[in-house]
């Protein structure tokens, strides 16, 4: 990537290189303690093997929006956002008991082979996966602190890390607390704002801006752009979770229904449904393990009520809101173009 032209593939390659090297060193240190830790080390590396690197990109362009030039040290700091994401994914898959991620077994599934001798292999594997997620979060802070940026720059952004972790835990906790409750669109939107929108878009932007010494107007603009765009990102995820191609998403298409997750898609379906349709949904969602026929029946109710169309409209509204906020900042050409492109790629995707 040149300093002035946004080339997503080149940026992703830079971030991938940072993550591979950082995590490989930690994996070596771990297996040096005892070779038996090899499967745990393998899951550390698997956790960063894939990803769009959107969070790193938003952090990078928060820095550039404040007028700073391209910087390898900043890319290292931005890559730490991807380790936060990797930790959140391992924990989220564990909480949701998801079997697949990126088309491969999730950490708690992959680690079962390492604990076959355990009296409760599934519980042992889940415990190991929890520790993998914990270590990834620790590695995020380590990478950020050792990025090579001046200590004064890092000091400006460090307080935002506490907010990032708190909001992420708040969102995940709200999802658990809302699971199984009566579907409610406002409650679902609050979950996605804290569980996804803030740490995916808003906080990486704010951290990049803080590292660069951004002023109050730019910080406000980052939030005005980042929050609706982050919500659009998760709303797209909701649609892909039930209507997407598992071959493209790399996830099992029954996860949201099987887990009774409080998605906005389900909440809008419930809001639009009459008594008969709500009864049908209760019957379908009440099954312990919905089969393919039950899933298709849920989809059919949603299509008939045009709930997917409503969620599509919500995505469009939020992307438009984000782009209006971006226009209001009057950024220079490179960050304006990159953040516009990122808005479209975050909300219009198949995986």
């Amino acid at each position: 990537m040149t300093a002035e032209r946004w080339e997503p593939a080149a940026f992703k390659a830079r971030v991938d290189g940072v993550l591979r090297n950082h995590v490989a060193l930690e994996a070596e240190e771990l297996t040096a303690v005892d070779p038996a830790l090899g499967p745990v080390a393998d899951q550390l590396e698997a956790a960063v093997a894939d990803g769009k690197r959107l969070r790193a990109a938003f952090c990078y362009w928060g820095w550039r929006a404040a007028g700073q030039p391209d910087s390898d040290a900043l890319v290292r700091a931005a890559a730490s956002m991807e380790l936060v994401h990797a930790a959140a994914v391992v924990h989220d898959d564990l909480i949701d008991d998801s079997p697949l991620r990126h088309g491969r077994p999730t950490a708690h599934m992959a680690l079962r082979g390492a604990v076959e001798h355990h009296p409760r292999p599934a519980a042992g594997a889940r415990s190991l996966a929890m520790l993998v997620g914990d270590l990834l979060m620790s590695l995020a802070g380590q990478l950020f602190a050792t990025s090579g940026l001046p200590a004064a720059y890092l000091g400006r952004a460090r307080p935002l890390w506490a907010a990032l972790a708190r909001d992420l835990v708040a969102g995940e906790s709200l999802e658990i607390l809302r699971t199984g409750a009566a579907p409610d669109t406002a409650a679902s939107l609050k979950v996605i704002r804290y569980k996804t929108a803030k740490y995916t878009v808003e906080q990486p932007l704010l951290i990049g801006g803080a590292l660069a010494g951004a002023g109050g107007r730019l910080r406000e603009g980052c939030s005005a752009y980042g929050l609706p765009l982050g919500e659009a990102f998760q709303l797209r995820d909701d649609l892909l979770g039930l209507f997407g191609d598992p071959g493209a998403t790399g996830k099992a298409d029954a996860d949201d229904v099987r887990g009774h997750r409080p998605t906005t898609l389900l909440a809008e379906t419930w809001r639009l449904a009459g008594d008969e349709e709500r009864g049908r949904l209760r019957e379908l969602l009440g099954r312990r393990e919905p089969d393919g026929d039950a899933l298709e029946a849920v989809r059919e109710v949603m299509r008939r009520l045009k709930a997917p169309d409503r969620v599509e409209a919500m995505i469009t509204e939020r992307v438009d809101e984000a782009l209006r906020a971006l226009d209001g900042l009057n950024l220079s050409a490179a960050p304006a173009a990159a953040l516009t492109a990122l808005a479209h790629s975050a909300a219009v995707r198949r995986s």
Side-chain angles (χ1 to χ4, degrees), residues 12-34:
K12 181 181 183 305
R14 290 173 76 182
V15 174
D16 285 347
V18 170
L19 292 172
R20 279 196 302 269
N21 292 338
H22 186 65
V23 175
L25 288 173
E26 187 66 21
E28 288 177 11
E29 294 283 353
L30 199 59
T31 52
V33 173
D34 194 303

Side-chain angles (χ1 to χ4, degrees), residues 238-282:
D238 288 355
L239 284 175
L240 290 172
L242 197 54
F243 291 94
D245 174 9
T249 65
K251 303 175 189 176
D253 62 1
D255 277 4
D256 287 348
V257 172
R258 181 170 57 84
H260 293 197
R261 294 176 194 161
T263 66
T264 304
L265 176 60
L266 177 59
E268 281 296 285
T269 302
W270 191 261
R271 184 181 67 81
L272 295 165
D275 290 343
E276 182 178 343
E277 288 153 331
R278 287 186 177 185
R280 178 65 170 147
L281 285 169
R282 283 193 194 95

Side-chain angles (χ1 to χ4, degrees), residues 333-345:
L339 289 169
T340 299
L342 281 165
H344 291 297
S345 65

Side-chain angles (χ1 to χ4, degrees), residues 169-335:
V169 169
E172 192 72 68
S173 297
L174 283 171
E175 182 177 67
I176 295 168
L177 291 165
R178 291 293 311 172
T179 294
D184 178 86
T185 298
S188 296
L189 287 170
K190 190 168 192 177
V191 168
I192 68 174
R193 170 165 287 207
Y194 282 88
K195 182 186 172 185
T196 303
K198 282 179 166 289
Y199 99 94
T200 298
V201 185
E202 184 201 24
Q203 285 161 333
L205 272 170
L206 289 173
I207 287 172
L211 289 168
R217 181 172 176 272
L218 180 55
R219 293 196 303 270
E220 290 172 5
C222 285
S223 291
Y225 165 92
L227 281 173
L229 182 58
E231 289 179 3
F233 178 87
Q234 183 57 46
L235 289 168
R236 174 63 61 201
D237 235 33
D238 288 355
L239 284 175
L240 290 172
L242 197 54
F243 291 94
D245 174 9
T249 65
K251 303 175 189 176
D253 62 1
D255 277 4
D256 287 348
V257 172
R258 181 170 57 84
H260 293 197
R261 294 176 194 161
T263 66
T264 304
L265 176 60
L266 177 59
E268 281 296 285
T269 302
W270 191 261
R271 184 181 67 81
L272 295 165
D275 290 343
E276 182 178 343
E277 288 153 331
R278 287 186 177 185
R280 178 65 170 147
L281 285 169
R282 283 193 194 95
E283 189 273 322
L284 292 166
L285 297 172
R287 298 180 185 180
R288 184 172 180 81
E289 289 293 336
D291 57 19
D293 290 342
L295 285 172
E296 188 52 41
V298 170
R299 292 188 190 98
E300 181 52 38
V301 172
M302 290 178 168
R303 290 190 192 100
R304 189 164 63 249
L305 295 170
K306 300 189 182 303
D309 294 342
R310 173 61 191 136
V311 174
E312 285 284 2
M314 294 168 76
I315 292 170
T316 299
E317 290 164 5
R318 282 159 174 77
V319 172
D320 289 347
E321 181 183 347
L323 292 176
R324 285 195 301 272
L326 184 63
D327 288 343
L329 286 172
N330 296 316
L331 299 177
S332 59

